[in-house]
Amino acid sequence: MSSREDILARLRANSPAAVERPAMDFTPLTFEHPLQQFLQSLEAAGAHAVVRQAGDDVNELIRRAYPQAKTIASNLPEITCATVDPDRLDDPRLLNGTDVGVVRGEFGVLENGMVWLKQRMRHKALFFIPEALVVLLDRDALVNNMHEAYARPEFDDYAYGCFVAGPSKTADIEQALVIGAHGPRDVTVILE
């Protein structure tokens, strides 16, 4: 008997008896009032929410939310208040110093307030480098939970994507909460 076979035989002889796995049946969370739940989850994550009403100009909503913003970056054609088109920049580092980035979200998750962002611009840095991020989101594009989120077709068709839930935050350093450590200090979701 080789050393390997001897080791494996000893492991088998001293291993506990196999146990059957428990059933993995549970009911994922669902919510009766989707918009209300999403607004609560966004607030809990530290994000701001604006529900766009009929006749509201999205550019005015952005300007109202960030009146001090000098540099607004977006490649969305309806964002006429943008001062920078990130798709025209060769180097994503040129986005450094951007006050507000405006992007479109694919869908939102009710249970945790996350929004799936799919890269639709040249530089994914637009998700992380601005001081504030504005996400435009269709109010009908809400799913109850992460189980439904992962079943969405958007997960099969993207070069880069990420979930965003409120401003960037960490509490790794001396257990002190730091906002904006790795991304935007402020996030506003405009539900259209």
Side-chain angles (χ1 to χ4, degrees):
M1 182 181 286
S2 72
S3 298
R4 179 179 183 270
E5 291 168 347
D6 181 47
I7 291 169
L8 291 175
R10 286 182 189 195
L11 286 172
R12 279 188 212 102
N14 293 297
S15 294
V19 282
E20 225 175 281
R21 291 185 184 186
M24 294 293 287
D25 55 342
F26 67 98
T27 304
L29 289 172
T30 57
F31 300 93
E32 191 174 336
H33 304 289
L35 184 58
Q36 182 181 21
Q37 177 60 44
F38 190 62
L39 296 175
Q40 288 174 355
S41 295
L42 282 172
E43 183 181 333
H48 308 286
V50 176
V51 179
R52 187 174 172 191
Q53 303 300 320
D56 283 350
D57 177 13
V58 70
N59 295 285
E60 182 57 35
L61 293 175
I62 294 167
R63 284 286 186 199
R64 199 175 309 144
Y66 301 99
Q68 305 300 320
K70 291 181 179 42
T71 308
I72 299 174
S74 182
N75 67 348
L76 300 175
E78 66 269 33
I79 305 305
T80 57
C81 65
T83 59
V84 174
D85 181 347
D87 290 348
R88 294 183 182 206
L89 302 176
D90 291 329
D91 187 346
R93 292 175 291 187
L94 296 173
L95 289 167
N96 191 21
T98 299
D99 296 315
V100 179
V102 183
V103 298
R104 181 159 301 284
E106 301 298 314
F107 61 87
V109 184
L110 301 180
E111 73 177 331
N112 52 24
M114 291 199 301
V115 178
W116 177 250
L117 302 179
K118 181 170 143 178
Q119 185 176 351
R120 294 178 179 267
M121 72 286 299
R122 186 173 184 186
H123 306 293
K124 62 186 169 227
L126 187 59
F127 294 150
F128 309 106
I129 205 164
E131 289 295 313
L133 185 66
V134 172
V135 179
L136 306 182
L137 182 65
D138 182 345
R139 72 177 82 195
D140 294 325
L142 300 174
V143 298
N144 285 294
N145 52 60
M146 293 304 291
H147 302 279
E148 291 178 18
Y150 287 126
R152 296 281 298 215
E154 290 89 340
F155 273 80
D156 295 331
D157 180 29
Y158 65 93
Y160 177 83
C162 64
F163 279 110
V164 170
S168 166
K169 47 196 160 298
T170 184
D172 293 345
I173 304 162
E174 297 181 11
Q175 299 178 348
L177 181 62
V178 177
I179 304 292
H182 310 305
R185 294 175 193 259
D186 195 70
V187 173
T188 297
V189 178
I190 297 178
L191 291 142
E192 301 183 297

